[in-house]
Amino acid sequence: MENTPIKFPHEIRDVEESTSAELLDYFHGERTGFVQVGPEGYFFPHKYKEEAEKYYNFEARSDDIWIVTVPRSGTTWTQELIWLVANGLDFQQAQRRPLTERFPFLEFPLFVHPKVKEELQEENKDSAEALEFIEQISRPGYETLSELPRSERRFIKTHFPFSLLPPSVMENKCKVIYVVRDPKDVAVSYYHLNRLFRTQGYVGDFERYWRYFQQGLNPWLPYYSHVKEAREHAHLPNVLFLRYEDMLVDLPGTIHSIAGFLESPVKQEDLGKLLDHLSIKSFRENKSVNMHQMAAVGVLNKGEAGFVRSGAKTASQPQKEFIDNPKLLNSANEWVEQNVKCFKTI
């Protein structure tokens, strides 16, 4: 007997008409409009309205491993690390199977607007393989993941904040790894991603994008609401809360933390190979993790920065987009300072 679906508990409201019209002018991947969800106003494309309850009712399994982040917080890097640690450092399989297949992104299909899908299908009409891939990335994650056999451990990526995760994730005590990153670095990386992916299709400059970022007018934001919810869950035994900047400083330490959390120890003699695999140079050239398939079917815009960009940097070093605009940097620093007052540490 199937469980009775849980009613989605949060209000979903359309973004104010003039704001939505402006955003549609600058984000060409969405064609209908945008919504905001719950008291925090989490931002999504219009499709979320009809899909919210199905995502919320997705049935997590107790042996699932989830990564939860604000986009561009070191997610892909950490995914590869998690998968390899949990799978006995099976580098051969990691090279053979794309990360998107090994560690599916639950809600990515929300961002494949039907009209964008039609355009991609038309452009790839002569390739059966490309058309099949377009179908795969358009199919809701709650369907494809539910079909995986129970004998196969699932690795699931999501950017949903804790309040929008399926309740079964926490009820079944799934392992959840959350990574937080400096919001200014997130914004710069997310800006380039929004330009790169046709499903977002951002055409404005960084200063405008930063304004939207601050206002929470981009998917999965507001940033500080997302991080605050994660911090409220960080004490739970099935949640591991990591800082990207700490990972940069001590990756071996992070590897051992994740290995301990997943109860999958990494031998000291294997550490060097894993560190080399995760180096930014190796990562950028690794077709399994750099969205090679997405580029091949035209989901990625040409002429933009690649999916794996600069990666590591020191925490105190502002990125070029802020260095080139000192006024914006000062304003951003003030915004960060105001917001971190509600956290003991971040």
Side-chain angles (χ1 to χ4, degrees):
M1 186 174 168
E2 288 188 12
N3 293 333
T4 306
I6 306 165
K7 188 176 186 303
F8 188 69
H10 305 291
E11 178 198 10
I12 302 176
R13 56 198 178 276
D14 291 343
V15 168
E16 193 270 325
E17 198 173 334
S18 63
T19 303
S20 186
E22 178 186 327
L23 291 167
L24 287 169
D25 281 342
Y26 284 95
F27 293 89
H28 291 179
E30 176 57 27
R31 310 291 170 85
T32 306
F34 304 93
V35 297
Q36 288 176 300
V37 183
E40 301 297 329
Y42 289 112
F43 184 98
F44 292 99
H46 198 266
K47 197 193 283 189
Y48 184 74
K49 200 182 236 185
E50 59 208 54
E51 296 273 24
E53 196 158 294
K54 292 173 183 173
Y55 277 102
Y56 199 70
N57 278 277
F58 173 70
E59 188 58 38
R61 301 173 187 168
S62 58
D63 65 343
D64 287 343
I65 296 176
W66 291 67
I67 184 165
V68 181
T69 63
V70 174
R72 309 310 281 171
S73 298
T75 318
T76 308
W77 195 41
T78 314
Q79 278 178 272
E80 183 75 347
L81 166 50
I82 291 167
W83 190 91
L84 282 164
V85 166
N87 286 278
L89 304 189
D90 188 346
F91 293 105
Q92 209 169 6
Q93 191 181 171
Q95 288 296 130
R96 192 172 66 248
R97 295 174 62 206
L99 185 61
T100 49
E101 183 187 308
R102 292 180 280 124
F103 213 133
F105 183 177
L106 177 66
E107 68 270 21
F108 181 78
L110 284 174
F111 299 86
V112 184
H113 192 279
K115 288 185 178 174
V116 173
K117 181 181 177 181
E118 284 173 18
E119 291 163 11
L120 291 169
Q121 287 172 321
E122 177 60 27
E123 291 163 21
N124 291 276
K125 63 186 178 186
D126 297 327
S127 169
E129 188 181 351
L131 290 172
E132 185 184 350
F133 180 69
I134 292 164
E135 281 302 327
Q136 283 173 14
I137 64 172
S138 309
R139 193 169 176 228
Y142 55 77
E143 290 182 1
T144 50
L145 280 156
S146 294
E147 290 170 4
L148 289 178
R150 289 198 170 263
S151 58
E152 182 181 330
R153 190 173 201 178
R154 300 186 304 189
F155 296 79
I156 303 172
K157 165 187 169 179
T158 183
H159 295 311
F160 283 143
F162 272 81
S163 59
L164 300 184
L165 286 177
S168 57
V169 174
M170 302 310 289
E171 287 165 5
N172 294 333
K173 295 183 169 52
C174 301
K175 298 279 191 184
V176 177
I177 296 174
Y178 188 93
V179 186
V180 66
R181 185 184 186 187
D182 181 293
K184 299 195 297 296
D185 293 340
V186 167
V188 169
S189 188
Y190 204 11
Y191 159 72
H192 286 289
L193 184 87
N194 274 267
R195 294 188 65 89
L196 176 65
F197 271 73
R198 274 170 69 180
T199 48
Q200 303 295 103
Y202 181 63
V203 296
D205 62 14
F206 178 71
E207 187 165 350
R208 174 180 290 276
Y209 179 78
W210 173 254
R211 189 163 75 246
Y212 294 144
F213 185 89
Q214 278 186 298
Q215 294 170 355
L217 297 175
N218 210 214
W220 300 284
L221 301 179
Y223 170 88
Y224 280 105
S225 300
H226 202 294
V227 176
K228 182 171 181 284
E229 288 188 15
R231 283 194 57 80
E232 287 166 355
H233 290 80
H235 66 285
L236 297 172
N238 65 312
V239 176
L240 180 64
F241 187 96
L242 299 173
R243 291 178 177 80
Y244 178 75
E245 289 75 17
D246 293 343
M247 294 173 70
L248 296 180
V249 172
D250 182 16
L251 186 54
T254 300
I255 290 169
H256 288 305
S257 292
I258 289 174
F261 179 68
L262 299 179
E263 299 172 48
S264 302
V266 174
K267 293 175 185 171
Q268 196 61 33
E269 58 265 32
D270 295 331
L271 191 59
K273 190 175 180 185
L274 181 55
L275 290 169
D276 182 61
H277 180 85
L278 295 169
S279 72
I280 189 63
K281 184 178 183 297
S282 298
F283 218 63
R284 196 181 286 120
E285 294 168 1
N286 184 347
K287 286 186 177 180
S288 173
V289 302
N290 66 14
M291 295 293 166
H292 175 73
Q293 285 178 296
M294 294 280 197
V297 300
V299 175
L300 307 189
N301 285 316
K302 292 177 180 174
E304 298 294 339
F307 181 73
V308 179
R309 291 178 58 250
S310 55
K313 65 177 265 313
T314 60
S316 60
Q317 172 196 350
Q319 301 219 34
K320 183 179 182 297
E321 286 77 2
F322 283 112
I323 293 171
D324 290 348
N325 192 335
K327 188 177 175 186
L328 190 68
L329 177 59
N330 288 337
S331 166
N333 285 337
E334 284 174 15
W335 178 74
V336 170
E337 200 174 315
Q338 287 166 6
N339 277 283
V340 295
K341 285 176 184 172
C342 62
F343 299 105
K344 288 179 183 174
T345 58
I346 191 163

